Amino acid sequence: MTGPFPDEVDEALWDEACRRAEAVREFLKHRPGKMTTADVTLLATELETSRATAYRLIKLFRTGGTVMSLVDRKRGPEGHRALDDRREEIIRTTINRYYLTRNRPALSQLVRDVQTNCMSVGLKPPHRRTIKARLEDIDLQKRAKRRGETEIMKQTQAVPALPILLSGSNARPVARPERLIYPIFSRLTEDCFYHASLTAMAELVKHGCTTAFDHQYCFPQHAGKRLIDRQFEAADLLGMRFHAGRGGNTLPKSEGSTIPDAMLETTDEFIADCARLIDTYHDADPFSMRQVVVAPCQPVNCYRETFVESAALARDRGVQLHTHVGEGESPVVEARHGMRTVDYCAELGFAGPDTFYAHCWELTHDELRTMAASGTGVAHCPEPVYLVGAEVTDIPAMSAFGLRVGLGCDGAASNDNSNLMHCVHSAYMLQCLKASTRAHPVPPPVDFLDYATAGGAALLGRRDIGRLARGMAADLFAIDTRRMDFVGTRHDPLSLIAKVGIGMPTDMTMINGRIVWARGEFIGLDEARLFAEAEAALATVEL
């Protein structure tokens, strides 16, 4: 039995498979032994299908126990094999070693890996369709088991969808398959977004972050347009300085977007709400606590005019620009527009000293030089590599070329925490791991602290935060290093966070001269109550 992976399944088919799995799971739960014909007839009626199909679905679910096992698959003739044994072995080995994991790369990456491996030994690379066909030949049950999906629907569990995305009864991490997380995001309510934001911000504050930028590009139509307003509300409650990236998606799935149409907006809708938020919240004065960034999601998920009009609005209102670039989409953008993402954004005017991109792990050195020449910055998020399995971003090259670099967490969809302190350590250690393969040396540990402070402030266009000096905002955190954890490290405090790491919350976090976290408590807030309210709101979301 063969079939596509979840992120290759049509959304409607996937939703129907989820409905089937829930119905069959409940059916089997109450009938652990022998079932009668009448029982199956009732299930068939519920599923609006024939009794024979109901029997088949029960058998499939008992065998596979997965949503994938119930996806309605079109049957077609088997393709013939025209490859020699050596190329077949390269395909099989590459799939087994790199692709059949929970954190598998994109299909395009598998194709590149197979083709590169073939060319390296003098063999003609197989066509993409051939590689995909071999992948589809793999037994469904083996694929599901290798990818960790065997328990995904056996016990439905309510999960906090944005602060942490879990699957199955034993709470295993999910990597970042858009087919899984985006449909969940599309069902969230306004309250879910509020509590998810509050949860992430609270963790940031606990670990010394005083200013946060969030790229919120998920706007389910039923949730309304006030999601950014609620994020500002959450930041105000915690006393956090907040820059809101108003994201959006305008390209429908029928034209190649990865975002469900339930989160689709028109360019006019998106631009109008950006303008509303700027008028309502943006404060350009020194030490401001609220600012707005115009941030269309990705070039692959938006029309050309969305980016052009975003740049025009941002420059007219004097705010920053942001989007995602260089995280695997460049070949798609090149196929659509005849150039890779960096050049495409530059052509649209979406580049410059007022612009920063997230990720950029797949960019060439020439593309990094292009960004450096325009003054475009990079928000580097190191920890998604652990779950997503993408490449380690070439920070040494960025440093050598003079790019502006800031540091981020990337959020729960691909990280499962919002601990920027930990990300400083991860960023440095991952670069050390790859040092022998790089053309440029790893920057010293203190530079990674700078990326997380002054570097981030520069990306946001702030000159009043990011360092401790007279006339700057009173933003700081304090850690008492008179602990066993820090024996032998106190001679070099600037390198401590990046090189040794801090495995606990700060002893104190101050934002704009106000202590907001101290001695393990949020000042003036009941964390237990905040926790209970967030759990109650997010418990409404089920995988």
Side-chain angles (χ1 to χ4, degrees):
M1 182 185 300
T2 63
F5 279 111
D7 61 347
E8 296 162 357
V9 177
D10 177 80
E11 185 179 350
L13 293 179
W14 180 258
D15 289 343
E16 175 61 18
C18 290
R19 186 180 77 87
R20 288 176 169 182
E22 177 62 16
V24 174
R25 183 188 69 80
E26 285 297 315
F27 177 84
L28 294 175
K29 177 180 177 181
H30 298 292
R31 297 169 182 81
K34 187 175 181 180
M35 66 191 73
T36 66
T37 301
D39 290 335
V40 179
T41 300
L42 288 174
L43 177 63
T45 301
E46 179 181 353
L47 294 177
E48 299 178 339
T49 187
S50 67
R51 192 167 63 200
T53 299
Y55 272 115
R56 180 174 62 84
L57 294 176
I58 292 169
K59 181 179 179 181
L60 287 171
F61 193 77
R62 278 178 163 170
T63 303
T66 68
V67 178
M68 279 171 53
S69 64
L70 301 188
V71 171
D72 193 11
R73 295 176 299 279
K74 296 180 179 180
R75 300 182 181 275
E78 292 186 5
H80 71 282
R81 297 178 180 270
L83 296 182
D84 56 86
D85 290 342
R86 291 182 66 192
R87 286 187 292 171
E88 290 285 5
E89 178 61 27
I90 288 174
I91 293 176
R92 184 165 53 252
T93 300
T94 306
I95 289 174
N96 287 335
R97 184 174 300 169
Y98 300 114
Y99 198 77
L100 289 183
T101 65
R102 294 178 191 152
N103 304 329
R104 66 187 181 92
L107 176 62
S108 58
Q109 183 64 50
L110 172 67
V111 172
R112 287 196 297 270
D113 288 344
V114 170
Q115 292 176 341
T116 299
N117 291 340
C118 286
M119 288 187 291
S120 68
V121 293
L123 297 175
K124 180 181 178 181
H127 193 277
R128 173 190 175 93
R129 288 194 298 271
T130 302
I131 299 169
K132 185 177 180 182
R134 298 302 184 268
L135 184 62
E136 292 174 345
D137 283 345
I138 300 172
D139 176 75
L140 173 64
Q141 175 68 15
K142 179 180 178 181
R143 285 160 51 189
K145 183 176 180 180
R146 289 284 299 273
R147 293 205 47 217
E149 198 217 351
T150 54
E151 297 289 331
I152 197 166
M153 285 301 295
K154 288 185 179 177
Q155 181 175 335
T156 303
Q157 175 177 326
V159 298
L162 283 182
I164 188 167
L165 181 62
L166 304 177
S167 78
S169 56
N170 57 350
R172 295 182 303 276
V174 175
R176 198 181 179 181
E178 283 83 356
R179 289 282 183 179
L180 295 179
I181 63 173
Y182 285 153
I184 294 172
F185 291 170
S186 70
R187 295 195 293 271
L188 296 181
T189 65
E190 180 185 301
D191 278 348
C192 286
F193 282 100
Y194 167 76
H195 287 289
S197 300
L198 185 63
T199 300
M201 291 176 188
E203 186 173 7
L204 286 166
V205 169
K206 282 185 177 186
H207 295 93
C209 182
T210 58
T211 299
F213 163 82
D214 181 57
H215 189 193
Q216 163 58 339
Y217 55 81
C218 299
F219 280 80
Q221 292 162 7
H222 68 270
K225 301 294 188 187
R226 293 188 52 80
L227 305 185
I228 299 292
D229 304 71
R230 299 301 303 278
Q231 288 191 296
F232 278 119
E233 180 184 337
D236 288 348
L237 180 66
L238 294 170
M240 190 174 210
R241 182 175 281 105
F242 183 56
H243 287 233
R246 205 311 187 174
N249 304 279
T250 60
L251 189 74
K253 291 194 71 172
S254 61
E255 297 184 37
S257 174
T258 63
I259 304 295
D261 286 345
M263 296 195 293
L264 194 65
E265 299 178 288
T266 67
T267 296
D268 288 345
E269 278 183 285
F270 169 66
I271 294 297
D273 200 51
C274 287
R276 176 188 71 83
L277 291 167
I278 293 170
D279 291 341
T280 306
Y281 296 105
H282 187 75
D283 178 5
D285 289 340
F287 314 130
S288 70
M289 299 292 287
R290 294 174 168 181
Q291 293 201 11
V292 175
V293 178
V294 179
C297 178
Q298 289 176 294
V300 293
N301 291 330
C302 291
Y303 285 116
R304 178 188 184 94
E305 61 264 25
T306 307
F307 273 70
V308 172
E309 294 187 29
S310 293
L313 174 67
R315 284 165 186 146
D316 179 62
R317 301 297 185 89
V319 303
Q320 304 296 107
L321 286 164
H322 174 70
T323 191
H324 284 203
V325 167
E327 53 176 343
E329 85 295 330
S330 288
V332 178
V333 173
E334 185 174 21
R336 289 182 189 172
H337 305 291
M339 61 188 77
R340 283 166 58 89
T341 313
V342 170
D343 290 336
Y344 179 63
C345 286
E347 182 184 77
L348 301 180
F350 208 97
D354 59 354
T355 306
F356 65 103
Y357 304 152
H359 306 304
C360 299
W361 53 260
E362 70 164 352
L363 301 186
T364 67
H365 282 188
D366 284 343
E367 289 169 331
L368 296 179
R369 291 186 183 97
T370 297
M371 289 175 58
S374 69
T376 306
V378 175
H380 169 49
C381 302
E383 295 200 340
V385 70
Y386 298 139
L387 289 178
V388 180
E391 298 174 23
V392 176
T393 307
D394 195 348
I395 296 300
M398 293 181 180
S399 176
F401 301 151
L403 263 77
R404 299 183 299 124
V405 177
L407 205 62
C409 301
D410 197 42
S414 60
N415 186 356
D416 283 347
N417 76 56
S418 295
N419 183 342
L420 188 60
M421 186 90 71
H422 194 268
C423 287
V424 177
H425 181 55
S426 287
Y428 175 70
M429 298 304 287
L430 284 168
Q431 297 304 321
C432 292
L433 175 69
K434 301 291 290 185
S436 64
T437 68
R438 303 295 200 200
H440 304 90
V442 176
V446 66
D447 283 12
F448 289 81
L449 178 60
D450 186 72
Y451 298 149
T453 52
L459 293 184
L460 296 174
R462 301 292 296 253
R463 299 179 179 178
D464 54 344
I465 62 175
R467 59 190 179 93
L468 295 177
R470 185 182 298 275
M472 303 292 283
D475 291 2
L476 58 91
F477 64 85
I479 295 173
D480 186 350
T481 58
R482 294 170 297 180
R483 294 182 170 101
M484 294 301 292
D485 311 55
F486 306 117
V487 172
T489 69
R490 289 158 50 103
H491 65 286
D492 187 8
L494 293 179
S495 299
L496 173 61
I497 297 174
K499 198 167 186 179
V500 178
I502 304 292
M504 61 184 186
T506 67
D507 291 299
M508 184 269 284
T509 301
M510 175 187 290
I511 303 176
N512 213 35
R514 174 191 165 202
I515 296 175
V516 298
W517 166 264
R519 297 178 296 278
E521 295 181 349
F522 290 104
I523 307 303
L525 297 176
D526 182 349
E527 185 174 0
R529 180 179 63 81
L530 297 179
F531 167 80
E533 290 173 351
E535 286 277 294
L538 297 174
T540 62
V541 182
E542 293 186 351
L543 286 176

